[in-house]
């Protein structure tokens, strides 16, 4: 037998010669030979060790050769899970690229790129990721007290990479060295190499000692001289005198701000005050007796480790006596899921009773009382922001449920397919008439008979629809015509799995970002805002101090109102008498709402429907909260409460409430560096005064102007909006540079003018700020800039970035140009300036 290698690679011919009598017979066959080569990682195309700053993105690549082509997966060398986000971790990631976004110290470590192709041996490469970040210090006790002649031990913990130089100082900034009295123990490196513990031992304290490890955060309990001194020192520290203020005032006034603010917990002044408030509340939750429900929820949050997806699905099921198909398959692969028991709209209604919405349809329910209910049905709304990690989250969810790799691929293809097809239905119906059509339940059933509306409303309202007075409003009627035809072509098991994945992603979005104390306090503020509002004010703001605050802040607000009233009476836009009277009426009926306390009786009634929380079961607690939060009783109670006080303590950001014509000022902004009752009036007006003026101007922006003080739209308001002077100002703002935030920019431009005039109308003389050699007008603008200083350009959904906002404000304000003596050629002094009133 002879072998001939053919011209085609990997193909050989076999020729058989058989001698019979006087002739030769030839038989020739062809077959393929497959060469197998074990995997080999190509170092030239594979990432090596990297060092990166915290907050940046990093992409790790791994390329391997072999036959068959190798598959790549990533694992951590230390056995820990790969951090996808603060709420999600996975054991491994498949693919030759590993993308780590907004990297943090939790990502630090060695990653293994493992290549396999079924031919032994598998190979791997170890890639070390080192994350550099500024030192962060925290302490276990905020205040340490010790009697005279006793010893005391102080502890602090430091995180830094590279390793930081750590030492103790006294209040005069002098470094403490080892002596008979002070013993600075050697640092102890903790489990994480970037974390250290530092101990100071002080012998025989000779005065009653109170050691504050971080500044006490309760505003108003400081001496006026101290807060004013600190405020000007901060302003001067942040200055960069090498930059001309008329070229870039942000860089001039904010260049060194980030040196004073190196914590990773915040990036701007709003984040700073949020952190301060959360620290106070965390200290309370750790050390003081709290309501049993709050305490249990808080403890369960801290103890929650790996997200227990299956536990959520055991609590929330797709129907009576029905399990989720994926869970059923995992438990018993041979069992056939009972599709005939699945009712799509019943499952959708069940999930919506936990706050889930905007999938298949968007449903808004408004209870007017126990029997009257208004229901708006419309197509799913397109969300403004696209979750770049949506696909990755779906993968992680399936991994957490224990689905094997092969099935994950199949599920992902199915889920992606149905998501894409539903988006096409929404897009195709997007241009349909979106007029609101009032319908009865019978009308709805006759118009769209293929959708089981009876079971949907019975489940969603948790009452028989015929026992209620329903007012149904339908939008996007064409979408609801196309939806049933699309759904009937979909497999029921696939639809159920689709809803399950969407629901679990909704839960992920509502979970805390982490499980540290501050994360769990923020979670409490988000979910139990009224209770946490009560805790903060009762514990940390004594009534006498709160009254001083209110008196001082209302004085500022009244002055702001009077200043704007003066603008309206000057009537720069040449409005009619009726239009001016409309504006003045709205202004004088605009109120400022400061935090108030709900009574304990109201709170007990408000949270009465909640079950007893379990301190070791966050999933149960979370689902119970969501159920209560979406219930009829809660919505009615919320409506009643908001009529008294619409403040929620989940955010510190002030806002204008259009329907009630109120400015809401939460607790968070009532602390330094924004406000303290002992601050000089100049500091108060230049930040808090600006904030109040900004929010007041939202009552008169291109949306607010159309509303009367009673919260209803009014023709006079529309006539002002269409006035040539008003529209000319809006055009001027757009022409400077286009923005999607024209109303925010308008509020900025007017806000600073009003705050400035409100203060200097009574302080018009050129004078120095007491205790400094700086003119008051300069300090006004320097302190204003403190509100906009930040560590980086942050993209806000409602605003331009901080630098742009500050520059737009000052470029359009003549008093800034005069104060800093800018020339016509300077960037901060454009020829054309925009002004409304």
């Amino acid at each position: 037998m002879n072998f001939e290698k053919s011209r085609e690679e990997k193909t050989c011919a076999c020729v058989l010669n058989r001698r019979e009598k006087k002739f030769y017979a030839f038989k020739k066959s062809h077959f393929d030979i497959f060469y197998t080569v074990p995997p080999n990682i190509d170092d030239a195309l594979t990432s090596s060790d990297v060092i990166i700053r915290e907050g940046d993105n990093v992409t790790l690549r791994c390329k391997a050769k072999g036959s068959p082509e190798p598959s790549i997966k990533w694992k951590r060398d230390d056995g820990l899970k790969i951090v996808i986000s603060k709420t999600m971790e996975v054991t491994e990631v498949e693919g030759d690229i590993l993308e780590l976004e907004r990297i943090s110290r939790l990502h630090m470590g060695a990653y293994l790129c493992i290549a396999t192709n079924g031919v032994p041996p598998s190979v791997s490469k170890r890639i070390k990721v080192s994350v550099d970040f500024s030192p962060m210090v925290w302490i276990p006790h905020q205040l340490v007290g010790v009697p005279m002649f006793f010893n005391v031990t102080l502890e602090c913990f430091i995180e830094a990479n590279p390793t930081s130089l750590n030492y103790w100082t006294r209040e005069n900034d002098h470094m403490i060295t080892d002596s008979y009295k002070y013993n600075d123990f050697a640092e102890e490196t903790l489990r994480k190499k970037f974390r250290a513990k530092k101990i100071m031992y002080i012998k025989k304290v000779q005065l009653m000692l109170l050691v504050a490890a971080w500044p006490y955060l309760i505003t108003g309990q400081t001496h006026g001289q101290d807060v004013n001194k600190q405020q000007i020192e901060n302003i001067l520290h942040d200055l960069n005198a090498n930059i001309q203020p008329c070229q870039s005032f942000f860089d001039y006034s904010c260049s060194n701000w980030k040196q004073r603010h190196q914590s990773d917990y915040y990036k701007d002044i709003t984040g700073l005050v949020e952190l301060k408030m959360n620290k106070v509340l965390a200290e309370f939750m750790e050390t003081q007796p709290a309501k049993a429900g709050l305490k249990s929820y808080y403890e369960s949050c801290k103890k929650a480790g790996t997200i227990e997806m299956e536990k959520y699905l055991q609590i929330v099921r797709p129907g009576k006596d029905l399990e989720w198909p994926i869970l059923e398959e995992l438990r018993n692969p041979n069992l056939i899921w009972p599709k005939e028991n699945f009712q799509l709209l019943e499952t959708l209604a069940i999930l919506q009773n936990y706050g889930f919405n905007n999938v298949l349809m968007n449903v808004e329910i408004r209870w007017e009382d126990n029997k009257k209910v208004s229901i708006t049905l419309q197509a799913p709304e397109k969300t403004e922001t696209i979750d770049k990690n949506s696909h990755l989250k779906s993968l992680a969810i399936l991994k957490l449920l224990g689905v094997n790799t092969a099935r994950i691929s199949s599920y992902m293809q199915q889920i992606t397919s149905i998501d894409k097809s539903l988006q096409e239905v929404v897009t195709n119906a997007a241009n349909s008439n979106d007029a609101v059509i009032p319908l009865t339940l019978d009308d709805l059933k006759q118009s769209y008979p293929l959708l089981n509306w009876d079971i949907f409303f019975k489940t969603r309202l948790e009452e028989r629809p015929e026992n209620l007075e329903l007012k149904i409003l339908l939008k996007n009627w064409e979408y609801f015509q196309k939806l049933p035809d699309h759904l009937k072509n979909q497999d029921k098991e696939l639809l159920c799995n689709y809803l399950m994945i969407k629901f679990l992603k909704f839960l992920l979005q509502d979970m805390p970002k982490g499980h540290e104390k501050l994360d769990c306090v923020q979670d409490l503020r988000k979910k139990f805002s009224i209770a946490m509002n009560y805790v903060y004010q009762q514990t940390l703001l004594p009534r006498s101090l709160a009254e001083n605050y209110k008196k001082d802040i209302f004085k500022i607000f009244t002055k702001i109102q009077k200043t704007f009233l003066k603008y309206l009476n000057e009537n720069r836009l040449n409005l009619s008498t009726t239009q001016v009277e409309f504006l003045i009426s709205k202004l004088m009926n605009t109120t400022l709402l400061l935090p108030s306390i709900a009574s304990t009786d109201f709170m007990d009634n408000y949270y009465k429907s909640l079950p007893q929380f379990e301190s070791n079961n966050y999933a149960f607690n979370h689902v119970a909260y969501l159920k209560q939060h979406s219930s009829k009783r809660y919505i009615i109670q919320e409506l009643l409460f908001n009529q008294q006080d619409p403040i929620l303590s989940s955010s510190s950001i002030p806002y204008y409430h259009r329907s009630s014509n109120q400015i809401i000022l939460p607790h968070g902004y009532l602390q330094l560096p924004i406000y303290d009752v002992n601050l000089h009036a100049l500091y108060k007006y230049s930040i808090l005064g600006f904030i109040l003026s900004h929010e007041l101007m939202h009552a008169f922006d291109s949306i607010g102007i159309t509303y009367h003080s009673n919260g209803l739209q009014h023709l006079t308001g529309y006539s002002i909006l269409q006035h040539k002077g008003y529209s000319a100002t809006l055009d001027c703002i757009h022409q400077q540079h286009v923005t999607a935030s024209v109303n925010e920019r308008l509020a900025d431009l007017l806000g600073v003018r009003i705050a400035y005039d409100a203060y200097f109308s009574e302080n018009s003389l050129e004078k120095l700020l007491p205790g400094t050699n700086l003119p008051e007008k300069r300090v006004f603008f320097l302190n204003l800039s403190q509100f906009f200083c930040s560590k980086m350009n942050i993209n806000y959904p409602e605003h331009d970035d901080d630098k742009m906002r500050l520059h737009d404000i000052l470029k359009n304000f003549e008093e800034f140009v005069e104060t800093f003596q800018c020339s016509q050629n300077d960037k901060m002094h454009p020829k054309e300036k925009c002004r409304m009133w």
Side-chain angles (χ1 to χ4, degrees):
M1 184 179 290
N2 299 321
F3 289 91
E4 305 172 350
K5 186 170 182 181
S6 72
R7 293 182 180 179
E8 293 185 9
E9 191 176 4
K10 297 185 181 177
T11 301
C12 293
C14 170
V15 181
L16 175 65
N17 296 340
R18 188 172 60 188
R19 192 169 301 190
E20 293 182 1
K21 294 183 179 182
K22 296 182 179 179
F23 61 88
Y24 295 99
F26 296 93
K27 187 174 183 180
K28 190 172 184 178
S29 299
H30 289 267
F31 56 91
D32 291 332
I33 297 178
F34 297 94
Y35 298 94
T36 58
V37 179
N40 180 48
I41 292 176
D42 189 337
D43 288 333
L45 301 176
T46 299
S47 301
S48 55
D49 293 348
V50 295
I51 300 175
I52 191 166
R53 286 286 298 174
E54 192 165 41
D56 291 344
N57 301 332
V58 65
T59 300
L60 302 182
R61 291 180 171 81
C62 183
K63 298 292 184 182
K65 298 177 181 178
S67 181
E69 184 178 350
S71 61
I72 305 291
K73 64 180 177 181
W74 298 84
K75 290 187 175 181
R76 285 190 61 130
D77 189 30
D78 53 14
L80 297 176
K81 293 185 177 182
I82 296 175
V83 179
I84 302 300
S85 68
K86 285 192 174 183
T87 58
M88 189 181 303
E89 302 172 350
V90 294
T91 306
E92 61 184 46
V93 175
E94 297 183 357
D96 56 2
I97 293 177
L98 176 62
E99 292 187 353
L100 303 175
E101 295 185 357
R102 298 184 61 81
I103 201 165
S104 74
R105 63 203 68 179
L106 298 177
H107 293 88
M108 190 183 303
Y111 291 77
L112 293 178
C113 151
I114 304 169
T116 59
N117 66 349
V119 183
S122 299
V123 292
S124 64
K125 180 175 179 178
R126 188 173 184 270
I127 302 172
K128 185 178 179 182
V129 176
S130 182
V131 182
D132 285 355
F133 55 92
S134 304
M136 185 181 76
V137 179
W138 79 98
I139 49 89
H141 307 289
Q142 74 169 48
L143 200 66
V144 179
V146 60
M148 286 191 298
F149 307 114
F150 279 70
N151 303 330
V152 66
T153 300
L154 305 181
E155 292 181 339
C156 78
F157 295 86
I158 305 101
E159 286 188 4
N161 193 51
T163 304
S164 57
L165 173 65
N166 308 317
Y167 56 89
W168 297 89
T169 69
R170 292 292 298 269
E171 65 277 1
N172 57 8
D173 292 334
H174 289 172
M175 185 187 299
I176 297 175
T177 57
D178 275 356
S179 64
Y180 166 77
K181 187 175 185 64
Y182 299 103
N183 192 342
D184 185 7
F185 287 94
E187 292 175 22
E188 173 187 352
T189 301
L190 302 182
R191 182 173 63 86
K192 294 181 178 178
K193 293 183 179 180
F194 57 77
R195 183 173 293 174
K197 177 181 180 182
K198 194 165 181 64
I199 300 173
M200 167 68 74
Y201 184 66
I202 306 175
K203 295 180 181 178
K204 295 183 179 180
V205 175
Q206 295 178 0
L207 294 172
M208 179 63 89
L209 178 67
L210 290 174
V211 183
W214 44 271
Y216 201 55
L217 300 176
I218 314 306
T219 57
Q221 297 189 14
T222 50
H223 296 293
Q225 184 178 357
D226 294 338
V227 295
N228 287 294
K229 179 182 177 184
Q230 187 63 56
Q231 197 83 350
I232 194 63
E233 285 179 354
N234 291 341
I235 289 171
L236 295 177
H237 172 275
D238 296 346
L239 281 178
N240 184 345
N242 295 321
I243 297 174
Q244 293 297 321
C246 294
Q247 297 300 324
S248 175
F249 196 74
F250 180 89
D251 294 323
Y252 168 73
S253 58
C254 295
S255 284
N256 299 320
W257 187 87
K258 58 186 176 183
Q259 293 179 8
R260 288 194 297 115
H261 301 275
Q262 298 190 3
S263 169
D264 295 323
Y265 283 101
Y266 64 91
K267 295 179 175 61
D268 58 8
I269 195 169
T270 298
L272 170 62
V273 295
E274 288 278 17
L275 174 62
K276 284 186 170 188
M277 189 169 181
N278 285 346
K279 279 186 173 182
V280 170
L281 290 169
E283 186 70 19
F284 174 84
M285 296 302 297
E286 291 288 322
T287 61
Q288 302 297 323
K291 289 266 186 185
L294 280 181
K295 195 77 168 180
S296 296
Y297 201 102
Y298 176 72
E299 292 297 329
S300 72
C301 173
K302 289 198 301 176
K303 294 173 184 176
T306 303
I307 301 170
E308 299 175 295
M309 291 296 181
E310 188 172 350
K311 187 175 286 188
Y312 279 96
L313 297 179
Q314 289 169 351
I315 300 170
V316 182
R317 300 188 177 190
K320 187 179 180 181
D321 302 324
L322 191 63
E323 293 285 355
W324 297 100
I326 287 179
L327 288 188
E328 198 90 307
E329 182 181 336
L330 288 171
R331 292 169 186 162
N332 190 345
N334 299 319
L335 191 68
I336 298 176
W337 187 69
K339 296 181 180 182
E340 64 277 4
N341 295 339
F342 174 68
Q343 291 283 345
L344 176 64
L345 288 196
E346 179 187 28
T347 301
L348 184 64
I350 289 171
L351 301 183
Q352 286 190 359
N353 282 338
Y354 294 92
F356 177 72
N357 202 2
N358 210 43
V359 173
L360 294 185
M361 66 181 76
N362 190 304
V363 182
E364 295 178 12
I365 294 181
R366 185 180 180 88
W367 289 88
E368 297 176 16
D369 57 34
N370 285 317
K371 291 298 177 182
K372 289 183 179 180
V373 56
S374 174
I375 303 168
T376 303
L377 304 171
Q378 57 185 330
E381 296 176 349
K382 289 186 177 180
T383 54
E384 292 296 326
T385 55
I386 298 174
D387 186 356
K388 295 180 181 178
N389 293 322
S390 180
H391 186 78
L392 199 56
K393 286 178 182 176
S394 298
L395 285 171
I397 285 169
L398 293 170
K399 285 263 187 187
L400 289 168
L401 288 173
V403 180
N404 64 47
T405 303
R407 290 297 289 146
I408 285 177
S409 177
S410 173
Y411 283 137
M412 288 301 299
Q413 288 179 3
Q414 294 171 353
I415 292 164
T416 302
S417 173
I418 193 170
D419 208 17
K420 184 178 179 181
S421 63
L422 282 169
Q423 285 298 324
E424 288 176 358
V425 177
V426 174
T427 303
N428 291 337
N431 296 324
S432 66
N433 189 340
D434 61 353
V436 177
I437 304 173
L439 298 172
T440 64
L441 180 56
D442 287 338
D443 293 336
L444 188 68
K445 289 157 63 175
Q446 289 173 13
S447 300
Y448 310 105
L450 295 179
L451 297 173
N452 193 335
W453 294 108
D454 279 326
I455 195 169
F456 176 77
F457 286 120
K458 180 182 176 182
T459 307
R460 183 68 181 88
L461 302 174
E462 299 181 314
E463 269 191 71
R464 299 185 71 84
E466 57 266 27
N467 297 333
L468 298 170
E469 188 179 329
L470 298 184
K471 180 182 177 182
I472 300 173
L473 303 172
L474 183 75
K475 292 180 69 176
N476 317 112
W477 59 268
E478 189 176 333
Y479 171 77
F480 286 95
Q481 278 188 332
K482 294 180 178 180
L483 181 63
D485 291 334
H486 180 76
L487 293 176
K488 71 181 181 181
N489 297 322
Q490 299 290 344
D491 180 72
K492 287 187 175 182
E493 186 173 338
L494 169 59
L495 284 171
C496 194
N497 285 334
Y498 174 76
L499 288 179
M500 184 202 74
I501 293 293
K502 288 286 188 179
F503 179 62
L504 291 177
K505 287 163 82 170
F506 158 75
L507 292 175
L508 280 174
Q509 193 71 24
D510 194 60
M511 291 179 190
K513 294 181 179 179
H515 299 286
E516 301 295 331
K517 292 186 292 185
L518 295 177
D519 299 315
C520 293
V521 160
Q522 186 63 38
D523 194 40
L524 281 178
R525 289 178 62 196
K526 176 182 177 183
K527 293 179 168 62
F528 305 100
S529 53
I530 296 173
M532 294 303 284
N533 201 29
Y534 179 87
V535 167
Y536 186 88
Q537 191 157 346
Q538 282 288 83
T539 308
L540 302 166
L541 287 175
R543 186 171 296 277
S544 59
L545 181 60
E547 289 304 317
N548 286 340
Y549 271 38
K550 288 183 179 181
K551 183 178 178 182
D552 188 43
I553 293 170
F554 278 120
K555 179 182 176 182
I556 296 171
F557 181 66
T558 301
K559 184 63 178 175
I560 285 168
Q561 279 183 305
K562 289 180 178 178
T563 303
F564 188 52
L565 177 62
K566 178 174 174 287
Y567 293 175
L568 295 179
N569 283 323
E570 290 172 354
N571 196 8
R572 293 183 72 253
L573 298 183
N574 293 318
L575 300 174
S576 70
T577 303
T578 301
Q579 291 172 326
V580 172
E581 289 175 350
F582 172 85
L583 295 173
I584 291 175
S585 173
K586 183 169 187 179
L587 171 64
M588 301 317 293
N589 284 285
T590 306
T591 56
L592 174 64
L593 193 60
L594 296 178
S596 60
I597 303 175
S599 68
T600 52
D601 289 341
F602 180 88
M603 281 202 303
D604 290 342
N605 188 41
Y606 192 74
Y607 294 117
K608 185 168 62 177
S609 61
L610 284 170
Q612 185 173 350
F613 290 139
E614 300 175 10
S615 60
N616 294 305
N617 192 345
Y618 183 80
F620 170 81
N621 298 341
H622 186 193
V623 167
Y625 154 75
L626 290 171
K627 178 75 170 175
Q628 186 257 1
H629 192 71
S630 301
S631 69
K632 170 182 74 173
R633 189 177 177 283
Y634 173 84
I635 293 169
I636 294 173
Q637 290 279 13
E638 179 88 345
L639 181 64
L640 291 172
F641 179 74
N642 282 354
Q643 288 172 352
Q644 305 169 41
D645 184 355
I647 291 180
L648 301 179
S649 67
S650 59
S651 172
S652 297
I653 300 174
Y655 61 96
Y656 172 69
H657 198 267
R658 191 180 302 124
S659 61
S660 61
N661 196 32
Q662 291 177 317
I663 296 169
I664 315 301
L665 183 61
H667 283 124
Y669 269 36
L670 302 184
Q671 55 184 327
L672 291 170
I674 294 174
Y675 174 79
D676 186 281
V677 72
N678 291 308
L679 275 175
H680 188 280
L682 176 73
Y683 295 128
K684 294 176 184 177
Y685 277 89
S686 51
I687 292 187
L688 182 64
F690 163 74
I691 293 167
L692 294 176
S693 301
H694 173 102
E695 297 305 329
L696 177 62
M697 288 304 98
H698 280 307
F700 303 91
D701 64 22
S702 65
I703 297 175
I705 197 78
T706 64
Y707 285 80
H708 196 272
S709 59
N710 60 10
L712 302 176
Q713 290 185 310
H714 199 281
L715 288 175
T716 304
Y718 278 102
S719 71
I720 299 172
L721 179 63
Q722 295 166 2
H723 189 277
K724 63 179 182 180
Y726 195 100
S727 57
T729 304
L730 296 181
D731 290 341
C732 177
I733 290 173
H734 269 299
Q735 287 169 6
Q736 287 189 339
H737 58 82
V738 177
T739 178
S741 311
V742 64
N743 284 329
E744 293 298 337
R745 193 181 296 175
L746 183 62
D748 278 346
L749 302 189
L750 295 169
V752 72
R753 186 179 296 276
I754 293 171
Y756 182 94
D757 286 347
Y759 176 77
F760 285 107
S761 63
E762 295 180 357
N763 301 273
S764 57
L765 295 177
E766 289 285 345
K767 57 182 180 180
L768 302 180
L769 184 69
T772 76
N773 60 352
L774 294 171
E776 282 193 341
K777 291 185 177 181
R778 285 204 168 215
V779 178
F780 181 94
F781 293 111
L782 290 170
N783 194 53
L784 170 70
S785 69
Q786 289 284 302
F787 182 71
F788 296 97
C789 293
S790 57
K791 296 180 184 179
M792 60 184 73
N793 287 336
I794 305 171
N795 292 321
Y796 300 98
E798 303 90 4
H799 294 280
D800 297 319
D801 66 67
D802 289 317
K803 184 174 183 177
M804 185 180 292
R805 282 184 71 188
L806 180 61
H807 283 182
D808 282 338
I809 289 169
L810 302 180
K811 284 177 180 179
N812 289 287
F813 197 31
E814 303 85 350
E815 282 74 4
F816 167 79
V817 172
E818 182 181 332
T819 299
F820 286 90
Q821 299 179 342
C822 301
S823 65
Q824 192 67 56
N825 297 324
D826 291 333
K827 293 180 180 179
M828 297 299 300
H829 185 19
K831 185 176 181 180
E832 185 177 6
K833 293 177 170 52
C834 305
R835 178 176 178 179
M836 178 70 77
W837 307 105

